[in-house]
């Protein structure tokens, strides 16, 4: 178990970081492979060129963290605060066959995923307020039980997505592709908002 400060340029493999305090710090060129982060604070930190491979984050604070030119693969976030994060700052030059991260019971509010290709992105029971998904490819993503209040979808590919039990979303089917997407009733009626029609529920 590791609780000390991270050192730039170091490699970490199969370690458990408990209550690591990296708020407002800058970490460069570190590599983390199959590491676990528990109750760690990266709020307002800048992570430059860092690589995270098959890492798990639980109860961590990533509020307004900056992932600059780094990479992620197979990472899972559980019960984390991941608010105000611009995910487009990661290095996306590699071919993406599936989303490099997943989120369960996290708060991702005010984050930016604009124009990213994130097939099979998984978000379960997350707060996703005011998140920018414009021009993303989210084919087969899973938004089960997410609160999508104010989430921005425009020219977004949402084919085969799962929106079951998701709520507070506003998706214009004339501006987004929703072929074979799944929704729950009555929330599916939100898709009609763009047409300014009234639905009478007897």
């Amino acid at each position: 178990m590791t609780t000390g400060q991270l050192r730039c340029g170091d490699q970490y493999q199969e370690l458990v970081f408990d209550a690591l305090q990296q708020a407002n710090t800058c970490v460069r060129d570190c590599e983390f492979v199959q590491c676990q982060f528990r109750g760690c604070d990266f709020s307002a930190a800048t992570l430059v060129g860092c690589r995270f491979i098959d890492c798990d984050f639980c109860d961590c604070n990533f509020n307004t963290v900056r992932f600059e030119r780094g990479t992620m693969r197979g990472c899972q976030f559980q019960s984390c605060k991941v608010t105000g994060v611009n995910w487009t700052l990661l290095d996306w030059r590699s071919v993406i066959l599936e989303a490099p991260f997943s989120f369960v019971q996290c708060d991702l509010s005010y984050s930016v995923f604009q124009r990213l290709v994130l097939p099979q992105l998984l978000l379960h029971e997350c707060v996703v307020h005011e998140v920018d998904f414009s021009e993303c490819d989210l084919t087969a993503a899973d938004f089960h039980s997410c609160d999508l209040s104010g989430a921005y979808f425009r020219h977004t590919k949402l084919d085969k997505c799962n929106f079951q039990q998701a709520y507070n979303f506003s998706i214009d089917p004339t501006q987004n592709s929703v072929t074979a997407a799944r929704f729950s009733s009555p929330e599916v009626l939100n898709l009609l908002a763009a047409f300014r029609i009234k639905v009478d529920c007897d």
Side-chain angles (χ1 to χ4, degrees):
M1 185 175 293
T2 302
T3 57
Q5 293 285 301
L6 300 174
R7 294 185 300 181
C8 293
D10 278 4
Q11 296 181 334
Y12 303 90
Q13 187 166 357
E14 298 181 354
L15 294 180
V16 177
F17 296 92
D18 188 61
L20 186 67
Q21 299 299 309
Q22 292 288 159
N24 298 294
T25 62
C26 182
V27 179
R28 295 179 179 272
D29 302 318
C30 287
E31 181 175 77
F32 304 89
V33 180
Q34 296 181 339
C35 291
Q36 298 181 43
F37 297 81
R38 302 172 180 172
C40 300
D41 187 2
F42 286 91
S43 57
T46 301
L47 307 179
V48 182
C50 293
R51 296 168 296 282
F52 297 88
I53 301 170
D54 298 328
C55 293
D56 293 335
F57 304 92
C58 184
D59 294 314
C60 294
N61 184 359
F62 286 94
N63 180 50
T64 66
V65 71
R66 290 178 62 87
F67 293 109
E68 294 186 4
R69 303 188 303 278
T71 56
M72 285 191 180
R73 188 176 75 229
C75 293
Q76 301 180 22
F77 294 80
Q78 169 84 42
S79 303
C80 293
K81 183 177 183 180
V82 201
T83 48
V85 177
N86 185 350
W87 294 96
T88 68
L89 297 179
L90 284 168
D91 184 350
W92 295 97
R93 289 177 294 179
S94 300
V95 176
I96 302 296
L97 299 178
E98 61 181 27
F101 36 60
S102 62
F103 303 90
V104 177
Q105 296 179 338
C106 293
D107 187 350
L108 291 92
S109 298
Y110 311 108
S111 294
V112 177
F113 294 91
Q114 186 181 40
R115 297 181 180 174
L116 296 182
V117 177
L118 297 170
Q120 303 179 54
L121 174 66
L122 186 147
L123 294 86
H124 275 193
E125 301 179 34
C126 292
V127 177
V128 196
H129 293 176
E130 307 289 338
V131 173
D132 187 355
F133 292 110
S134 59
E135 301 183 60
C136 285
D137 183 349
L138 301 176
T139 300
D142 192 343
F143 291 92
H144 191 278
S145 299
C146 286
D147 181 355
L148 292 159
S149 178
Y152 185 54
F153 299 95
R154 185 172 184 272
H155 299 162
T156 306
K157 191 171 184 179
L158 300 171
D159 300 333
K160 300 180 181 179
C161 283
N162 179 20
F163 287 95
Q164 290 184 310
Q165 308 305 318
Y167 54 99
N168 291 334
F169 55 83
S170 178
I171 299 172
D172 184 345
T174 69
Q175 296 290 322
N176 302 279
S177 178
V178 293
T179 301
R182 302 172 65 186
F183 296 87
S184 298
S185 180
E187 286 78 12
V188 67
L189 297 177
N190 291 342
L191 298 177
L192 300 177
F195 302 103
R196 299 183 180 180
I197 63 176
K198 294 182 179 180
V199 178
D200 293 327
C201 297
D202 295 330

